[in-house]
């Protein structure tokens, strides 16, 4: 019998043509069209999780020598297709003994139409045929191409139905096969639209008494229940890469189930469940739920387990959830910081790039809390991760390590540790990398280190061996707004603390012109960072003159109507320091940049109030600006700021009032003399 190849959206199922095997009748594959409207018009918005590397496996070995097993396999498939019930069962038993992961064997099964028969057998009423078929399918679905073909044959429908089977061993095989199949996006969609999600959660619900009991003390019935739960947990692990399925899982209360299962004594159950947890942690709603349900404590507990995959998933959960300060505090309170430090110092972790990336990611996010840095310092974390700053290291590991150093170096002690252990030189060499996430983090470490005079001497190497400042400045040309923003913020302390800073800035050919050109950006964060850089550069008169020649005044004046508080804070400082050259002060008034600044005085942001107060101090040196400020009602606001706790604000506010009052007195005297 020749097998009919599947067309698009076809599945081979014996609707009424599959004959009753229990009566010893023959059977063959028949075609049934799938109604695609049942699967919705839109696809899951997720990338395909499988590589196409295996898609050519059926063509592989075409010219190679065919082993004897190939011909034996063809005979078995013929018997399975054309034989009676006994012949089919015997064929399945023999088939299981072959190396089903072999591409040659898979090719033989495919070419002889064996896949169609295996799928058809799932819909028979004979439990032995179903069990034998599932046992073969479980092994053969290790191939991505086989999975694609089986999905087109409609295997998903059969597997979903078999989860309802009264026999536990059938449920287990169906679940584990579905876990393999669900690694494909199309299968995940079919499981979702055919109601598979609530069914899976219902089937895997095991009593707490079974979960809490050690595996060796479980009776046979409960052991079967546990096996079903483990199989379904593997399915959830495969399904959880889909954004739509994650949302559906949340609606069906999967977080409560996760909380229960993570307290199990069975590691085989915890491993796939933790895989699902770490994938669901991509969503904020899940992260909040994990905090509320106490799952973070379970994650820390399992982080100490010897299983590598479980450690990796636990570290990934911390990495994704620790963006939130509440979670970072929970990790610290649950004693999770010490295990992370021990892992990073372990040779086993250093040799496993996936585990190393997840652990360093967890450390990075936890380091965002100063309280956690104190604990990390006690474990000498910075010394431990500096050796990872090698150019041949994995890019994700480098990104996480650099991110962790950026947080840790907010503590001045760690800047010295980094400098003593040659960490700054390694960081500067990495500035030549091309990986964007890494380039986003590198300037932030330099920014913190530049606050130290000793570190700044290394960053701005006078012999230009490293030339860190030039490399940072070159990042202003990068297309990424985040990289440009971070590079600008890194330049600010470099300009402030570098020896011979004015000459250093002028030494970068085209650097000042490039900086001014960034004021045309549409990104407020970039604009804010550039304004901070310009404020630092403009403290030197010669550099300010060059900025003025490049049109900095007009570009700054065009930004004054912004509502962004961060931009306002840095823009006002840039305007303030740019007033100190030639006619710039007058030009700001002429360009109507003074009156809009009055609105800034209503802000509750201390940085905005400080910046605008300093700006008014510099602008008030021009008489026409004083008139504008007085007309717009600046005096009452500035009088209030004279009482500020910041001495710099006090002086700026008082001097502004003095300039305005001096102009008013001069005007009164002039009118008196005229009269």
């Amino acid at each position: 019998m020749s097998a009919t190849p599947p067309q698009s959206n076809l599945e081979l199922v014996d609707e009424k043509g599959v004959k009753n095997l229990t009566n010893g009748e023959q059977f063959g594959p028949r075609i049934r069209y799938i109604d695609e409207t049942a699967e919705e018009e839109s696809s899951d918005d997720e990338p395909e999780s499988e590589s196409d590397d295996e898609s050519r496996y059926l063509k592989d070995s075409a010219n190679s020598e065919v082993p004897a097993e190939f011909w034996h396999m063809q005979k078995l498939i013929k018997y399975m297709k054309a034989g009676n019930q006994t012949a089919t069962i015997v064929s399945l038993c023999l088939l299981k003994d072959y190396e089903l992961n072999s591409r040659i064997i898979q090719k033989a099964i495919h070419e002889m139409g064996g896949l169609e028969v295996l799928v058809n057998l799932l819909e028979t009423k004979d439990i032995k045929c179903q069990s034998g078929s599932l046992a073969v399918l479980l092994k053969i679905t290790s191939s991505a191409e086989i999975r694609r073909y089986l999905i087109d044959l409609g295997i998903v429908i059969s597997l979903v139905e078999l989860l309802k089977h009264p026999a536990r061993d059938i449920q287990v095989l169906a679940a584990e096969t579905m876990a393999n199949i669900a690694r494909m996006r199309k299968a995940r969609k079919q499981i979702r639209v055919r109601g598979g999600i609530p069914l899976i959660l219902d089937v895997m619900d095991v009593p707490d008494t079974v979960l809490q009991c050690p595996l060796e003390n479980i009776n046979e019935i409960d052991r079967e229940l546990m096996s079903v739960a483990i199989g379904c947990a593997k399915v959830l692990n495969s399904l959880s890469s889909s954004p739509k399925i994650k949302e559906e899982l949340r609606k069906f209360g999967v977080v409560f189930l996760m909380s229960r299962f993570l307290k199990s004594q069975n590691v085989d159950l915890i491993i796939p469940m933790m895989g699902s947890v770490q994938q669901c942690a991509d969503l904020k709603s899940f992260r909040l739920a994990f905090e509320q349900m106490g799952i973070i404590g379970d994650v820390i507990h399992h982080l100490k387990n010897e299983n590598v995959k479980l450690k990796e998933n636990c570290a990934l959960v911390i990495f994704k959830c620790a963006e939130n300060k509440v979670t970072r505090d929970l990790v610290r309170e649950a004693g999770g910081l010490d295990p992370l430090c021990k892992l990073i110092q372990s040779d086993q972790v250093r040799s496993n790039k996936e585990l190393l990336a997840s652990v360093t990611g967890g450390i990075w996010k936890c380091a965002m809390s100063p309280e956690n840095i104190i604990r990390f310092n006690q474990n000498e974390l910075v010394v431990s991760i500096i050796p990872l700053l090698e150019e041949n290291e994995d890019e994700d590991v480098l990104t996480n390590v650099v991110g962790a150093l950026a947080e840790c170096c907010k503590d001045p002690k760690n800047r010295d540790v980094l400098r003593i252990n040659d960490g700054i030189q390694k960081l500067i060499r990495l500035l030549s990398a091309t990986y964007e996430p890494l380039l986003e983090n590198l300037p932030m470490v330099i920014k913190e280190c530049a606050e130290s005079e000793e570190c700044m001497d290394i960053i701005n190497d006078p012999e230009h061996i490293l030339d860190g400042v030039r490399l940072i400045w070159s990042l202003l040309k990068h297309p990424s707004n985040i990289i440009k923003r971070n590079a600008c913020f890194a330049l600010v302390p470099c300009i402030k603390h570098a020896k011979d800073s004015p000459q250093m800035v002028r030494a970068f050919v085209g650097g000042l012109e490039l900086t001014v050109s960034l004021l045309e950006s549409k990104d407020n964060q970039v604009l804010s960072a550039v304004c901070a850089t310009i404020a630092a550069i403009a403290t030197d008169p010669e550099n300010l003159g060059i900025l003025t020649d490049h049109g900095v005044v007009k570009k700054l004046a065009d930004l004054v109507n912004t509502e962004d508080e961060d931009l306002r804070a840095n823009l006002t400082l840039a305007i303030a320091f740019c007033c100190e050259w030639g006619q710039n002060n007058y030009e700001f008034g002429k360009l109507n940049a003074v009156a809009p600044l009055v609105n800034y005085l209503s802000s509750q942001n201390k940085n905005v109030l400080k910046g605008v107060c300093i700006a008014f101090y510099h602008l008030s040196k021009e008489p026409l600006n004083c008139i504008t400020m007085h007309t717009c009602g600046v005096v009452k606001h500035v009088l209030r700021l004279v009482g500020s706790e910041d001495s710099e604000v006090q002086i700026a506010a008082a001097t502004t009032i003095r300039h305005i009052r001096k102009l008013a007195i001069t005007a009164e005297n002039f009118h008196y003399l005229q009269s």
Side-chain angles (χ1 to χ4, degrees), residues 512-552:
L512 294 177
E513 182 180 2
L514 173 62
T515 304
V516 174
S517 70
L518 288 180
L519 290 172
E520 299 173 2
S521 173
K522 302 299 181 184
D523 187 286
N524 281 345
Q525 291 184 332
V526 173
L527 291 172
S528 176
V530 174
C531 287
T533 306
I534 288 174
I537 295 171
T539 55
D540 176 69
E542 191 171 344
N543 288 337
L544 176 55
I546 298 172
L547 290 174
T548 304
D549 291 341
H550 289 304
V552 71

Side-chain angles (χ1 to χ4, degrees), residues 290-432:
F290 292 161
E291 292 172 4
Q292 296 166 359
M293 295 297 294
I295 285 179
I296 301 302
D298 295 322
V299 171
I300 299 303
H301 172 72
H302 294 304
L303 183 64
K304 303 169 187 176
N305 194 282
E306 292 302 316
N307 185 278
V308 173
K309 189 62 180 177
L310 183 54
K311 286 180 183 177
E312 180 184 336
N313 283 331
C314 289
L316 282 172
V317 174
I318 297 172
F319 173 51
K320 294 177 180 180
C321 293
E323 287 279 357
N324 189 350
K325 186 182 185 303
V326 174
T327 300
R328 296 197 292 272
D329 293 341
L330 289 173
V331 172
R332 182 181 68 256
E333 292 164 5
L337 300 181
D338 291 347
L340 285 172
C341 292
K342 288 179 181 177
L343 283 172
I344 205 65
Q345 295 163 359
S346 166
D347 292 335
Q348 180 194 32
V349 175
R350 296 287 179 103
S351 61
N352 186 321
K353 297 304 179 185
E354 290 78 12
L355 180 56
L356 184 60
S358 59
V359 172
T360 51
I363 289 173
W364 170 22
K365 299 303 179 181
C366 288
M368 291 179 178
S369 289
E371 302 88 347
N372 292 348
I373 293 177
I374 295 173
R375 190 63 182 174
F376 282 147
N377 289 348
Q378 293 171 356
N379 285 278
E380 299 184 338
L381 174 68
V382 174
V383 174
S384 301
I385 61 178
I386 288 174
L388 295 174
L389 295 174
E390 299 297 335
E391 294 177 77
N392 59 350
E393 186 59 82
D394 179 78
E395 290 177 329
D396 289 326
V397 173
L398 284 172
T399 300
N400 295 338
V401 170
V402 172
L405 288 173
E407 300 298 333
C408 289
C409 285
K410 291 177 181 178
D411 182 349
K413 297 177 183 177
N414 288 327
R415 298 171 195 161
D416 294 333
V417 173
L418 186 65
R419 174 177 56 81
I420 294 169
N421 291 277
D422 296 329
I424 296 177
Q425 291 91 329
K426 294 180 179 181
L427 288 168
I428 292 173
R429 291 189 186 98
L430 290 174
L431 284 169
S432 301

Side-chain angles (χ1 to χ4, degrees), residues 118-135 137 154-178 196 199-200 203 228 232:
L118 290 169
V119 173
N120 278 344
L121 287 172
L122 297 180
E123 295 204 357
T124 64
K125 301 302 181 183
D126 187 90
I127 190 171
K128 292 181 180 179
C129 288
Q130 291 173 325
S131 177
S133 177
L134 284 170
L137 288 168
I155 192 174
V156 171
I157 300 173
S158 300
L159 292 176
V160 170
E161 290 299 316
L162 287 174
L163 285 179
K164 307 173 187 176
H165 202 285
R168 298 295 186 193
D169 56 342
I170 296 294
Q171 285 184 317
V172 172
L173 287 170
E176 294 192 347
T177 305
M178 185 184 290
L199 175 61
I200 292 166
V203 169
V228 174
C232 290

Side-chain angles (χ1 to χ4, degrees), residues 425-465:
Q425 291 91 329
K426 294 180 179 181
L427 288 168
I428 292 173
R429 291 189 186 98
L430 290 174
L431 284 169
S432 301
T434 57
Y435 189 54
E436 285 195 17
L438 175 59
L439 291 177
E440 290 173 9
N441 288 345
L442 280 167
M444 303 312 290
V445 189
I446 304 299
K447 172 179 175 290
E448 299 301 331
C449 292
E451 298 289 345
S452 164
E453 184 178 343
E454 294 86 354
C455 293
M456 191 60 227
D457 289 341
I458 300 174
I459 295 170
N460 187 38
D461 183 5
E463 297 180 4
H464 300 289
I465 297 173

Side-chain angles (χ1 to χ4, degrees), residues 483-499:
I483 293 174
K484 284 189 282 196
R485 178 199 68 191
N486 292 352
C488 284
F489 280 133
L491 286 173
V492 174
C494 289
I495 294 168
K496 287 182 179 179
H497 300 293
K499 295 176 181 177

